[in-house]
Amino acid sequence: MKKILMDKNGYALITTLFILILISIFGLAIISITTSNFYMTKVDSRSQSSYYIAEAGVNYVIDKINTEAHRNVSKYETSEEFFENLEDHFLRNAFILDNFEINNGQQPKAIINVSRVSMDEDTRDYEIESVGKIGKSTRTVSSIISVNWNKQVNDSTLDLILYTNKF
């Protein structure tokens, strides 16, 4: 019995196997953490990109409204005619922007809807809601803009003011 306990021929092999198993467990844990971190970074990147796509959609429609309003403001004698034209262009259908660069193999797009929030005689408030999509990731940005139309009494020019609150 003493001879078996004193014999240390297999001790180095058992120690080496134990250390190898521990190193393997630590290696698998590091690979798992790295893979999880990579996946979370990719999801966060798509989420951020979706937000910027949605924000670009809002800015696109604000620019289109501004351009349309300034181009046609002198055609109309009343604010009612002016706002009818503006709403015909922007409130009827959703806008879809899909001319963005491919992002991680996915085609980004923004779906933008404009709706009237309130109206006075010479002022209309519109909400612009844009949903940015990249794959399964979606983000929504909305903004309320006011369009104010005034016909000046002493001057034949029309003054159009377009402003927005923060996003």
Side-chain angles (χ1 to χ4, degrees), residues 8-17:
K8 296 184 179 180
N9 287 336
Y11 181 72
L13 179 62
I14 292 174
T15 304
T16 304
L17 286 174

Side-chain angles (χ1 to χ4, degrees), residues 85-166:
N85 176 58
L86 203 61
E87 291 174 3
D88 280 345
H89 281 85
F90 296 101
L91 270 60
R92 301 281 184 243
N93 298 317
F95 294 90
I96 297 177
L97 291 179
D98 59 357
N99 58 345
F100 301 102
E101 289 184 24
I102 301 291
N103 184 318
N104 292 324
Q106 303 284 330
Q107 177 63 53
K109 67 180 175 179
I111 302 167
I112 309 120
N113 288 300
V114 180
S115 59
R116 184 175 43 205
V117 177
S118 68
M119 68 185 237
D120 291 327
E121 186 176 336
D122 292 335
T123 303
R124 301 283 194 280
D125 292 338
Y126 300 101
E127 180 179 23
I128 302 170
E129 183 179 83
S130 176
V131 178
K133 292 184 176 189
I134 300 176
K136 293 180 181 178
S137 180
T138 62
R139 294 284 296 267
T140 302
V141 173
S142 65
S143 180
I144 295 177
I145 64 168
S146 292
V147 179
N148 185 9
W149 187 84
N150 293 318
K151 185 165 184 171
Q152 306 223 347
V153 177
N154 296 336
D155 196 334
S156 63
T157 63
L158 299 173
D159 182 28
L160 179 71
I161 299 170
L162 176 71
Y163 64 92
T164 181
N165 61 352
K166 63 182 180 178

